[in-house]
């Protein structure tokens, strides 16, 4: 893909679980190549998000969290994609609960 036909779409998530769901939707439902999807801490600190999820929640009722969970900030997922794939990537992000979706 030439750079004129490629955009990078960014979204932030409060939990690792939501970021993982977005990535799963991008790859499995919308056919985006996994090597074009990236996830990282939005800030400088290691983080699993701002809210406990997944393995950080100790029971199914949602009460009780691990005391050692790295809840230091939001996660950012970005995806490099062809212009014709932007709408489906935005849909994947929105379905997973993304915040602040933007592109460059």
């Amino acid at each position: 893909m030439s750079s004129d036909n490629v955009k990078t779409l960014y979204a932030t998530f409060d939990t690792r679980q939501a970021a993982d769901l977005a990535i799963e939707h991008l790859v499995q439902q919308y056919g985006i190549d996994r090597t074009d999807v990236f996830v990282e801490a939005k800030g400088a600190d290691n983080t699993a998000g701002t809210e406990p999820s997944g393995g950080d929640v100790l029971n199914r009722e949602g009460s009780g969290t691990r005391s050692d969970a790295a809840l230091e900030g939001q996660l950012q997922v970005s995806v490099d994609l062809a212009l014709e794939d932007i709408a489906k990537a935005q849909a994947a992000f929105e379905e997973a609960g993304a915040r602040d979706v933007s592109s460059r």
Side-chain angles (χ1 to χ4, degrees):
M1 287 185 271
S2 79
S3 61
D4 290 341
N5 295 325
V6 175
K7 285 258 187 201
T8 302
L9 195 64
Y10 299 87
T12 55
F13 295 89
D14 289 332
T15 65
R16 179 63 193 215
Q17 186 174 19
D20 286 343
L21 183 60
I23 294 167
E24 181 179 318
H25 286 186
L26 287 169
V27 174
Q28 294 180 5
Q29 289 182 313
Y30 296 107
I32 304 295
D33 192 321
R34 177 63 182 95
T35 60
D36 292 328
V37 182
F38 309 91
V39 63
E40 63 188 328
K42 180 106 177 170
D45 294 328
N46 180 36
T47 188
T50 59
E51 301 173 18
S53 68
D56 294 330
V57 178
L58 295 176
N59 61 47
R60 291 179 189 207
E61 290 76 36
S63 62
T65 60
R66 293 178 42 177
S67 61
D68 62 345
L71 302 175
E72 304 299 329
Q74 292 180 317
L75 296 156
Q76 178 175 271
V77 175
S78 61
V79 57
D80 297 330
L81 40 79
L83 295 178
E84 64 265 15
D85 292 332
I86 289 176
K88 61 185 175 182
Q90 285 176 321
F93 283 161
E94 290 169 9
E95 289 167 7
R99 301 179 179 270
D100 305 320
V101 177
S102 63
S103 65
R104 289 186 218 155

